[in-house]
Amino acid sequence: MKKLIAGNWKMNGALAANEALLRSLITGLSGVAPAADMAVCVPAPYLAQVQSLLSGTPVAWGAQDVSAHEQGAYTGEVSGAMLKDFACRYAIVGHSERRQFHGETDALVAAKAQRALGLGITPIVCVGETLAEREAGDTEQVVKRQLAAVIHAVAHCTSEIVLAYEPVWAIGTGKTATPEQAQHVHAVLRKQLSAATQHPERVHILYGGSMNATNAASLLAQPDIDGGLIGGASLKADDFLRIVAASPAV
Ligand code: PGA
């Protein structure tokens, strides 16, 4: 399966900076057959800009969240139908920053994943343990609980999600999980998926957390690491392209 390298811009960007970044990406990709599938998940106000700059290129785009509700009196929320208006292919759901700072529960994350799938948007479902949970030996239990809620909600559509394992202690810290640590958790998640879908091998399981141009190759060489969800390094075209190029050929 071709790897998927997805950028998560988080709350970064500005019209001029986005344009420069995307133009550099497109230039860097011209004339090469990209080693991986690619996407950028951007702040909602920039979706129109990203759609106009990336249409017809090999880089897909998406949002960083989606409302669990269909429409109505939910001030500040962005619906899946609105994301569809801008041809979003992906929506990140359950990023640890949303779980931590916005109180998102497993049940809410699952409802968001379900809403996205219902609209033909692929949810990039994030799971991951905190440092305290890892140190307490609870890593497997935590990620399995987070994934179980989504499987319960999306049922037969489980093979259509993208999963991202993002250890919270590795996000934005410069501390990456070792390839072995990440592979171990990815294998646990793959096994859990295999109980829920006949085609667990079709689900991309991305690693996220300080993945960069230097460590990407060793992470992406692991059998159950199917790509990356890239924060900081996705804001620099050169770094993002080097991560894409580090993807092993299929
Ligand atoms: P990072 O972020 O690459 O900056 O650690 C990854 C993420 O939060 O998705």
Side-chain angles (χ1 to χ4, degrees):
M1 171 168 62
K2 214 167 176 186
K3 309 275 180 189
L4 170 63
I5 306 297
N8 172 13
W9 288 5
K10 309 196 181 188
M11 199 171 72
N12 294 293
L15 286 173
N18 301 344
E19 179 162 354
L21 171 57
L22 295 173
R23 289 205 188 281
S24 304
L25 276 185
I26 296 162
T27 308
L29 288 166
S30 68
V32 293
D37 291 329
M38 293 162 285
V40 288
C41 294
V42 308
Y46 297 128
L47 285 169
Q49 180 194 24
V50 170
Q51 179 185 20
S52 88
L53 286 167
L54 292 182
S55 291
T57 77
V59 186
W61 58 92
Q64 298 170 9
D65 187 24
V66 59
S67 178
H69 304 288
E70 192 177 347
Q71 61 162 47
Y74 301 102
T75 302
E77 296 260 291
V78 176
S79 74
M82 294 170 188
L83 301 184
K84 273 311 263 189
D85 272 345
F86 297 95
C88 282
R89 169 111 155 248
Y90 298 101
I92 296 173
V93 300
H95 190 280
S96 64
E97 287 150 16
R98 299 221 50 94
R99 292 180 190 261
Q100 258 187 308
F101 307 135
H102 301 270
E104 295 198 3
T105 61
D106 293 343
L108 179 63
V109 172
K112 289 180 170 194
Q114 195 177 16
R115 180 70 65 191
L117 283 169
L119 286 155
I121 296 168
T122 301
I124 301 178
V125 176
C126 301
V127 300
E129 81 288 1
T130 62
L131 184 59
E133 288 162 341
R134 172 162 283 264
E135 286 174 346
D138 292 340
T139 298
E140 290 186 25
Q141 185 201 317
V142 169
V143 299
K144 281 161 111 174
R145 188 202 71 222
Q146 292 171 333
L147 176 57
V150 172
I151 291 174
H152 180 74
V154 310
H156 66 278
C157 295
T158 298
S159 64
E160 289 164 40
I161 69 169
V162 167
L163 190 56
Y165 168 55
E166 298 207 306
V168 179
W169 47 272
I171 294 177
T173 58
K175 253 193 221 171
T176 323
T178 64
E180 295 73 26
Q181 277 174 324
Q183 166 58 30
H184 176 80
V185 178
H186 282 232
V188 166
L189 294 169
R190 183 89 63 201
K191 189 159 169 238
Q192 189 178 359
L193 288 170
S194 65
T197 161
Q198 285 182 319
H199 296 290
E201 75 287 353
R202 284 192 196 159
V203 178
H204 280 91
I205 309 179
L206 314 182
Y207 168 80
S210 299
M211 195 191 265
N212 58 38
T214 308
N215 59 30
S218 59
L219 287 158
L220 294 170
Q222 299 299 313
D224 289 300
I225 300 186
D226 307 313
L229 184 55
I230 320 296
S234 73
L235 298 172
K236 293 185 197 134
D238 205 44
D239 288 17
F240 190 75
L241 291 170
R242 282 169 63 199
I243 296 171
V244 172
S247 305
V250 280

